[in-house]
Amino acid sequence: MYNPDRCKTGIGELDSLLNGGIPRGNSVLISGSCGTGKTTLSLEFLIHGVENGEKGLYISATEISSKVMKNMVPFQFFREEYFDSGKIKIMDIPNIYSKLNLKKLEFEQEDIDRLVNYIGEIVKNDGIKRIAVDSLTSICYRLRTEEKIRDFIIKFEEIVSKMGGTALMISELLPNAKGYSQYGVEEAVADGIILLGNLKRRGDLLRTLQIIKMRGTSHSRAEYVMDITPLGIMLSPLLKGWTVNQ
Amino acid sequence: MIQTSEIKRVFDENDVVLIKSSINVYTKSILELVNFGLENDKVIFYISATVPSTVFKTIFESTGIAHDNIYFIDCTTYSFDITQDPNIIVVESPTMLETIIIKIMYLHKISKQKMPDKSPMIIVDSANSLSIHNDLGILSEFFHVLITMVRPTGAKLAILTIMEQLTEDLSHTLELISDTVLTE
């Protein structure tokens, strides 16, 4: 059933765990180390958005967008025409920095404002409802201090919220990281956190997904096994019986 | 050997059937089961944890069973022999039980797209083999979750066991989670 207050990710099991989807206006941290499926989840979210009449923006900061696109071709849900027609806009962060003449290794307050305003203009002019920032961590490298990171995220969240949109902000973690973000401040400011992990079990490496927090909705807190299939991301409950004899 | 009429009777009345078959007629029982499924408009998801899927494909071919509507989830080849066959999905290890569940749900989705009128028949070959790699705790949880997830799809589930190699504990657990037991 369509619920105007919820933004369906398009990943059926995840939407069920979120009681119907991400509450609209939320900016959600997708945290995980390498190979956990962060980029796939973000793009599936954007593509599903177009199928529901919502335009998307993908801000790529870790890989050049053409490479990201090439990796998506094998997926059945991938629609190149959505990108060609501009229903999903792709922007490489180095191009944005260059356009805004942001050359400093550490941004000043005015640089942050220019960056946020620029994203805000695109979102407003193009009527964008879904945004994926891949990754927030890369942008944070140029912000450096907790205060600037907090300021950037809060201003970004304001844009998303005002537009009635929904954003995924990718947070890159080291494999043995304790928290959900590299600087700590991201997880405190974000409206939600979805943690993607790699679980090593008797020599198998299982991808996992767990919703840590999501403002505005009740949600599952259990850990699920995630698989990236040609149809996209699918989930199964994590079996716990294996701990019995360990 | 299990007779087709018996298979029909138990699956008319039940969704989850534990099949205890003697080792001497094990393959023949599988062939009966597969034939029954195909003749009753089912799409078959065959979880092969005992013998590689390619072996069964060859057996089906040699016995004249059309295998277009048989999809294998192969847990025995360990990715050493990754196939391009669209009807075979390799799961790297029989210990990746959650992945097996996801692959079943994935096959259900794609078969629904291709053959909306056909409902799935899932054959687990075999609980004995899965028990070699998994302890009883996780194995019973696996079957419980699997049954819970596939029941709403209208699927029929056949759990195969080799009678002579069945431990009391495993037999008891499988009887608990199944709707009925069919013994050869």
Side-chain angles (χ1 to χ4, degrees):
Chain A
M1 193 192 290
Y2 177 73
N3 181 345
D5 300 329
R6 293 300 167 112
C7 175
K8 281 189 182 291
T9 63
I11 300 160
E13 295 95 346
L14 178 57
D15 288 330
S16 299
L17 301 182
L18 288 163
N19 254 322
I22 299 170
R24 279 189 199 281
N26 274 8
S27 292
V28 178
L29 217 55
I30 305 294
S31 302
S33 59
C34 58
T36 51
K38 303 181 295 292
T39 299
T40 307
L41 191 149
S42 313
L43 284 162
E44 199 173 341
F45 165 78
L46 292 181
I47 290 168
H48 186 76
V50 175
E51 277 152 15
N52 284 282
E54 296 178 10
K55 284 186 173 179
L57 170 65
Y58 180 77
I59 300 173
S60 179
T62 47
E63 262 185 294
I64 52 165
S65 51
S66 57
K67 205 172 156 192
V68 173
M69 297 266 286
K70 203 176 156 193
N71 291 338
M72 296 306 291
V73 171
F75 291 105
Q76 281 183 36
F77 65 81
F78 180 69
R79 299 281 180 274
E80 199 167 358
E81 63 269 25
Y82 292 170
F83 295 86
D84 294 342
S85 63
K87 286 176 180 164
I88 298 174
K89 200 171 186 136
I90 288 203
M91 301 185 75
D92 289 317
I93 205 84
N95 294 343
I96 298 178
Y97 289 166
S98 155
K99 197 163 189 173
L100 298 176
N101 205 23
L102 298 173
K103 290 177 181 167
K104 291 174 213 147
L105 283 177
E106 183 175 352
F107 289 166
E108 303 297 333
Q109 190 57 50
E110 59 179 288
D111 301 324
I112 295 172
D113 290 342
R114 281 169 65 204
L115 181 60
V116 174
N117 290 339
Y118 181 74
I119 295 170
E121 282 301 304
I122 292 168
V123 169
K124 196 177 162 190
N125 294 340
D126 289 26
I128 283 161
K129 293 290 181 193
R130 296 190 184 206
I131 309 173
V133 182
D134 188 0
S135 67
L136 177 65
T137 312
S138 298
I139 294 174
C140 289
Y141 288 142
R142 297 274 191 113
L143 306 176
R144 306 246 173 131
T145 67
E146 284 188 13
E147 291 75 16
K148 286 180 190 168
I149 294 169
R150 185 184 298 271
D151 187 53
F152 172 78
I153 298 174
I154 287 174
K155 283 176 175 161
F156 175 77
E157 285 180 341
E158 249 180 60
I159 292 170
V160 174
S161 179
K162 268 186 192 165
M163 289 298 295
T166 312
L168 301 184
M169 308 179 291
I170 288 179
S171 166
E172 295 171 57
L173 298 179
L174 291 170
N176 53 358
K178 291 271 188 279
Y180 308 110
S181 56
Q182 204 147 122
Y183 297 88
V185 63
E186 303 97 298
E187 62 201 60
V189 186
D191 296 313
I193 302 170
I194 297 175
L195 177 66
L196 306 184
N198 280 318
L199 174 69
K200 216 169 185 177
R201 187 176 75 188
R202 296 172 61 198
D204 301 327
L205 194 60
L206 300 168
R207 287 193 175 99
T208 60
L209 179 149
Q210 190 168 26
I211 302 163
I212 305 297
K213 80 166 180 181
M214 191 63 65
R215 287 178 184 140
T217 183
S218 58
H219 60 84
S220 152
R221 290 179 60 84
E223 196 171 11
Y224 283 76
V225 170
M226 178 177 120
D227 194 18
I228 301 175
T229 75
L231 291 178
I233 287 170
M234 293 181 74
L235 304 175
S236 156
L238 173 71
L239 304 178
K240 300 167 186 80
W242 64 282
T243 55
V244 169
N245 294 331
Q246 294 203 348
Chain B
M1 191 179 79
I2 295 165
Q3 300 301 317
T4 309
S5 56
E6 267 300 279
I7 297 173
K8 184 177 172 359
R9 187 187 61 76
V10 290
F11 278 109
D12 277 350
E13 294 166 5
N14 305 280
D15 294 329
V16 183
V17 179
L18 171 64
I19 298 175
K20 295 182 178 179
S21 177
S22 167
I23 195 161
N24 302 320
V25 292
Y26 189 70
T27 307
K28 282 183 183 168
S29 297
I30 290 171
L31 293 176
E32 282 296 312
L33 199 57
V34 168
N35 256 326
F36 163 79
L38 294 175
E39 281 169 10
N40 285 274
D41 242 7
K42 304 281 182 201
V43 54
I44 293 181
F45 305 158
Y46 194 100
I47 301 159
S48 54
T50 309
V51 176
S53 53
T54 45
V55 172
F56 263 105
K57 272 200 104 165
T58 310
I59 293 173
F60 294 152
E61 270 164 21
S62 65
T63 50
I65 294 176
H67 48 75
D68 291 355
N69 291 342
I70 305 174
Y71 292 88
F72 291 91
I73 297 171
D74 187 327
C75 321
T76 61
T77 55
Y78 292 88
S79 295
F80 292 142
D81 184 22
I82 292 218
T83 171
Q84 296 302 313
D85 188 327
N87 282 32
I88 299 176
I89 295 175
V90 173
V91 171
E92 261 187 303
S93 158
T95 52
M96 299 175 87
L97 296 171
E98 296 92 340
T99 309
I100 296 174
I101 294 171
I102 293 174
K103 298 303 182 197
I104 291 170
M105 298 315 287
Y106 164 73
L107 284 177
H108 176 61
K109 278 190 180 179
I110 59 163
S111 67
K112 209 78 195 145
Q113 287 172 1
K114 287 183 190 168
M115 301 165 276
D117 300 334
K118 289 189 190 292
S119 61
M121 178 168 194
I122 302 159
I123 299 174
V124 181
D125 174 20
S126 64
N128 302 68
S129 298
L130 289 176
S131 74
I132 294 169
H133 303 273
N134 300 283
D135 71 32
L136 198 56
I138 198 165
L139 199 56
S140 47
E141 198 181 348
F142 161 71
F143 279 115
H144 190 246
V145 171
L146 177 63
I147 291 165
T148 311
M149 288 181 82
V150 301
R151 243 190 234 279
T153 68
K156 300 286 184 186
L157 174 62
I159 304 169
L160 295 175
T161 57
I162 299 168
M163 220 162 21
E164 294 85 344
Q165 298 165 1
L166 199 55
T167 63
E168 204 175 311
D169 281 352
L170 181 58
S171 179
H172 180 64
T173 302
L174 294 173
E175 281 169 23
L176 271 178
I177 51 134
S178 304
D179 296 339
T180 191
V181 182
L182 181 56
T183 308
E184 179 267 328

